[in-house]
Amino acid sequence: MSEPYFSSLKCRECGRLYPKKAVHVCEYDFGPLEADYNYDRIKAVLTRKVIESRPNSMWRYRELLPIDGDPTVGLQVGFTPLVKANRLAKALGVDELYIKNDTVNYPTLSFKDRVVSVALSRAVELGMKTVACASTGNLANSVAANAAAAGLDSYVLIPADLEQSKVLNSLVYGTKVIGIQGAYDQVNRLCSEIAGKYGWGFVNVNLRPYYAEGSKTMGFEIVEQLGWEVPAHTVVCMASGSLLTKIYKAYQEFMKIGIIPEGKFTIHGAQATGCNPISAARKSGTDLIRPISKPNTIAKSLAIGTPADGYYAVKTMEQTGGFADDATDQEIIEGIKLLAETEGIFAETAGGVTVACAKKLIDAGKIPRNERIVLCITGHGLKTVEAVAEHIGKPRVIKPSLREFDALVEAELCEAAC
């Protein structure tokens, strides 16, 4: 049998190798484990031509994903649009801007479908029958939907105060939804205990090395959709910090196997002011992540006070020359509205964070106005309608009369002229 593309798990700290099982922490230094690959073998088989010949999904890059056989879950996930955002670019005062639009990802309208499809495909390979997660919403939706489609039992554990739209978007798939009275970090700790006792496949606990790799596909797609070029600047929202680090890994891997030439690029991070442990560290010039015990932000999907990959996200920004910023609730709402009004894309609160922080970084001169910029928008606004419901106005009501409509139009014209 030929040597596999995905060779082992490897500690990010000491480099020790581990078998490809449901483990996620090094037993020597407690460093996180991540997937390791046989890049020489991948380089021999994976070319632009091969990639372009495959179906339009994230699995067109399957040699760079941590499964042994063909994928079995989420075969339609990924290859979401990269939108040239000319009107938003004008509003932000930049020359060239793109939106990587995962608001239309399949099946649950967020980038989490990428990570879940990898984690559950690996869970199936490991013989698991029950899968689960700790979630701030989007991950719960994706685990519930993809587990249902794959015929797997599932549990999702969430903070009890999560947006009701996200709760409903999990319940509808028949999963067991458990609300926990506490912040996300408390939910996550409980999940670690449950995973140890029951042996279930928790996608972001014991399956995390596989799960996290799914985020790379957003980076692979950006490069391919830009004509096999890396953007000068990529702006990524941060919760655990994993997405930012994996987009960096995607760019690096494409260079390593010769898909694209070596080159410089910069990755920037975006957080909510009410939960900003990573951006605060980057702005302070330190890699020390100070936990936020009580997150307070409308961007609940980013409200992780103790980010698992925070240290690595800071290091990634340092290595690429990137910066970080954070956005208040009001700035998040303004970011959501600006993206919707200029590009017709309705993003959830995390997307508002990305737009708002990109604006700050551009205005501060940390992102040049004349270089190519990509904003990663990770989830649909229908998931967090409660956050903007009171800030976008109400419909005007008139009788079924042309005279009343004419009066309404005249009033609007007068208001615009004034």
Side-chain angles (χ1 to χ4, degrees):
M1 182 180 294
S2 61
E3 188 176 351
Y5 302 114
F6 163 44
S7 56
S8 61
L9 298 180
K10 184 177 182 179
C11 177
R12 291 176 74 168
E13 292 298 320
C14 68
R16 282 185 172 85
L17 299 181
Y18 285 81
K20 300 181 292 185
K21 297 181 180 179
V23 292
H24 67 293
V25 176
C26 178
E27 62 187 20
Y28 292 93
D29 57 16
F30 303 105
L33 304 185
E34 67 174 355
D36 197 31
Y37 301 89
N38 184 338
Y39 290 112
D40 288 338
R41 183 161 185 255
I42 294 172
K43 186 175 183 177
V45 299
L46 192 63
T47 65
R48 294 184 188 181
K49 186 175 181 180
V50 168
I51 292 170
E52 291 169 342
S53 70
R54 292 173 172 173
N56 288 340
S57 81
M58 58 175 271
W59 294 107
R60 64 204 274 121
Y61 318 104
R62 61 180 176 268
E63 289 84 355
L64 287 165
L65 293 170
I67 60 172
D68 288 330
D70 291 330
T72 55
V73 181
L75 302 185
Q76 310 303 317
V77 174
F79 217 75
T80 56
L82 184 71
V83 179
K84 194 167 191 300
N86 292 329
R87 297 191 71 241
L88 181 58
K90 183 176 180 180
L92 296 179
V94 298
D95 293 345
E96 189 176 4
L97 180 71
Y98 295 83
I99 300 297
K100 181 55 175 168
N101 185 17
D102 260 28
T103 71
V104 295
N105 209 358
Y106 175 88
T108 67
L109 310 181
S110 92
F111 92 98
K112 291 295 187 181
D113 291 323
R114 300 176 182 274
V115 294
V116 169
S117 62
V118 175
L120 297 196
S121 287
R122 186 59 184 156
V124 170
E125 289 183 336
L126 293 173
M128 293 177 168
K129 304 298 183 184
T130 301
V131 294
C133 70
S135 176
T136 54
N138 285 327
L139 181 58
N141 297 168
S142 188
V143 167
N146 283 288
L152 298 169
D153 289 333
S154 65
Y155 287 75
V156 300
L157 284 77
I158 58 174
D161 65 348
L162 202 62
E163 299 100 333
Q164 283 303 301
S165 52
K166 286 185 176 177
V167 176
L168 291 173
N169 279 324
S170 293
L171 287 168
V172 70
Y173 299 109
T175 188
K176 291 86 171 176
V177 177
I178 313 296
I180 308 299
Q181 294 175 339
Y184 171 81
D185 293 312
Q186 294 171 293
V187 179
N188 198 44
R189 282 194 292 273
L190 175 60
C191 287
S192 295
E193 296 174 20
I194 296 171
K197 180 174 181 178
Y198 289 89
W200 296 343
F202 272 82
V203 299
N204 51 347
V205 182
N206 54 356
L207 293 175
R208 188 174 182 84
Y210 312 102
Y211 155 93
E213 291 288 281
S215 294
K216 294 190 307 185
T217 60
M218 183 179 282
F220 295 149
E221 291 171 17
I222 289 170
V223 171
E224 182 179 354
Q225 290 168 324
L226 285 175
W228 302 107
E229 293 183 1
V230 177
H233 301 272
T234 309
V235 184
V236 187
C237 62
M238 300 182 295
S240 72
S242 177
L243 176 60
L244 184 146
T245 67
K246 293 305 181 181
I247 288 177
Y248 170 75
K249 187 177 181 181
Y251 294 166
Q252 290 286 89
E253 285 184 334
F254 263 6
M255 292 177 186
K256 185 176 292 189
I257 66 172
I259 294 288
I260 56 175
E262 295 281 340
K264 185 180 183 300
F265 58 86
T266 304
I267 300 182
H268 308 272
Q271 285 201 295
T273 303
C275 188
N276 64 344
I278 308 175
S279 64
R282 180 61 183 134
K283 288 194 286 185
S284 298
T286 179
D287 57 18
L288 178 63
I289 306 297
R290 298 185 182 278
I292 306 294
S293 59
K294 295 182 178 179
N296 182 21
T297 172
I298 60 171
K300 294 184 184 298
S301 63
L302 302 183
I304 297 179
T306 307
D309 289 283
Y311 169 82
Y312 299 105
V314 169
K315 287 299 183 184
T316 296
M317 289 183 277
E318 286 179 352
Q319 290 168 11
T320 66
F323 298 93
D325 217 319
D326 45 77
T328 66
D329 285 358
Q330 184 57 43
E331 289 168 338
I332 293 168
I333 292 166
E334 290 169 1
I336 293 170
K337 292 172 65 177
L338 180 61
L339 179 60
E341 292 171 1
T342 57
E343 298 299 332
I345 296 172
F346 183 18
E348 67 164 344
T349 48
V353 168
T354 303
V355 173
C357 290
K359 182 179 187 302
K360 286 185 168 184
L361 293 171
I362 292 165
D363 290 345
K366 294 177 178 177
I367 297 179
R369 296 182 184 273
N370 62 345
E371 296 182 0
R372 180 182 283 173
I373 306 163
V374 171
L375 308 186
C376 295
I377 303 300
T378 54
H380 202 289
L382 290 175
K383 292 168 169 281
T384 56
V385 292
E386 299 95 331
V388 295
E390 300 301 318
H391 304 276
I392 55 176
K394 298 183 184 299
R396 293 173 178 134
V397 179
I398 62 172
K399 295 177 182 178
S401 161
L402 181 59
R403 180 178 299 175
E404 288 204 19
F405 182 78
D406 290 342
L408 179 65
V409 172
E410 288 180 15
E412 287 184 340
L413 292 173
C414 181
E415 182 180 335
C418 296

